[in-house]
Amino acid sequence: ALDPAAAEGWLALAGAADEEGRPADADTAARHAAILIPAAPTPRPVHAPASPPVAGKPPHGRRRIAYLLPPSRREAAAALLQPLLATHDRKAVEILLVDDGPVADEAGGRLSRLADQVWRTAGLADAALATRLLAAGVAMLVDAAGDAGGRRAALFAARPAPLRVAWTGSLADESAADILLDAVLYAAPAWAPLPDPPSTAPDKPRPFVFASPEPLAHLTPETIALWAAVLHACPGAVLRLGARSLTDPARRAAIATAFAGHGIPAGRLSCEPCMARERAFDWLGWIDALLEPAGGGDRLTLCDALWMGVPAVTLATAGTRILAQAGSWDSAAGEPAGYVAAATRLWHAGSLPAADRLALRSRVARSALCDGARLARRIEALVESADQAGSLEAGNTAAGPW
């Protein structure tokens, strides 16, 4: 962990700052730590190397940065990494993609084309991978999308590189990282359709549609109560739910019963099986507002909704960061009453016309959310600063600002 006495400047470098560049305060850091993170299984033990990690420069003089791509949630990880890898200064750093995927896929392929080297590491033990990273002289190891439920938590604990970097809220044990990044990135898909909400006939108005295409694991009692409160506050509005397991009639009936317990009739709910991401953009085009679950939802789903010009309401710190980067602070709430109030404001405003949805997409495209170069420079600055301080050489592995 970083030395608190010197953390302010380093947090600003790492991206934990507001839009004016001010470092996050202690309250913000505490809110970040409160993100609901799934319990991780006990990791396989890996003994830290007896000697400190040393990041020797490759023959061409560039420092080597390794990005760990997990075996699951790969599309979300690719959306985060693609704008970053594409804008790194290759005169300063060399990019190593450590791909934990069991088979080659489209997400891994896109990132592979942006890397200088690719390692296929599925099935490789943590200890063996740590040894290999140390031997390669990796200066920085970046966790792309969390420790994958604890699968590689022991790898980070073994310190296979002088600098270990992760995104805030992504690791079950954040003490395993030296630097936490707040900035979220999104690779906007050029193939997504233009935001174009369905037209409403004057004599047959369409109800306002709230929606959430999240896995049922996020449909907790707290989330059901929160969304029921939104529907009570917005008469006539409906809620569309999408999840892979909603093909099961018993699950749909159980959801209807849970909402009925809060006074929401089945006619105001729609439960639909989820679909491939390509088709999900059309699905997003038919909704008016995205509701994030009480404990936070999928980062990629929220970004896709914003790209389709759909406003969103969130209660979670991670979602708040994304909305802030996209310039949509007004839909972020710190407590349930604020969440319901934000949803109610969207309902009163009504369905956004196509021009307004296009304006939201344009704002997202110009925002820090799509600015991979900005974060790439920050990461390169971290490596350069550590290099100048001698922290990448033997015997300089004490925790603290690099």
Side-chain angles (χ1 to χ4, degrees), residues 280-300:
F281 282 98
D282 293 325
W283 192 88
L284 289 169
W286 282 82
I287 71 175
D288 297 306
L290 183 81
L291 296 181
E292 278 223 304
D298 180 76
R299 178 185 65 221
L300 186 58

Side-chain angles (χ1 to χ4, degrees), residues 57-84:
K57 286 186 178 180
H60 41 65
R62 298 181 294 171
R63 288 295 187 181
R64 185 171 287 134
I65 300 176
Y67 286 92
L68 179 61
L69 181 62
S72 59
R73 301 182 60 76
R74 292 168 64 81
E75 193 61 46
L80 176 72
L81 291 185
Q82 189 174 337
L84 180 59

Side-chain angles (χ1 to χ4, degrees), residues 314-345:
T314 185
L315 194 62
T317 304
T320 298
R321 287 200 303 272
I322 292 174
L323 291 183
Q325 286 184 240
S328 299
W329 270 109
D330 56 335
S331 296
E335 36 77 36
Y339 183 104
V340 174
T344 304
R345 286 195 297 272

Side-chain angles (χ1 to χ4, degrees), residues 16-82:
D18 60 22
E19 288 301 303
E20 297 180 7
R22 295 188 294 263
D25 56 21
D27 289 340
T28 301
R31 289 197 298 273
H32 289 180
I35 295 175
L36 297 181
I37 304 172
T42 303
R44 298 185 298 275
V46 174
H47 297 292
S51 58
V54 182
K57 286 186 178 180
H60 41 65
R62 298 181 294 171
R63 288 295 187 181
R64 185 171 287 134
I65 300 176
Y67 286 92
L68 179 61
L69 181 62
S72 59
R73 301 182 60 76
R74 292 168 64 81
E75 193 61 46
L80 176 72
L81 291 185
Q82 189 174 337

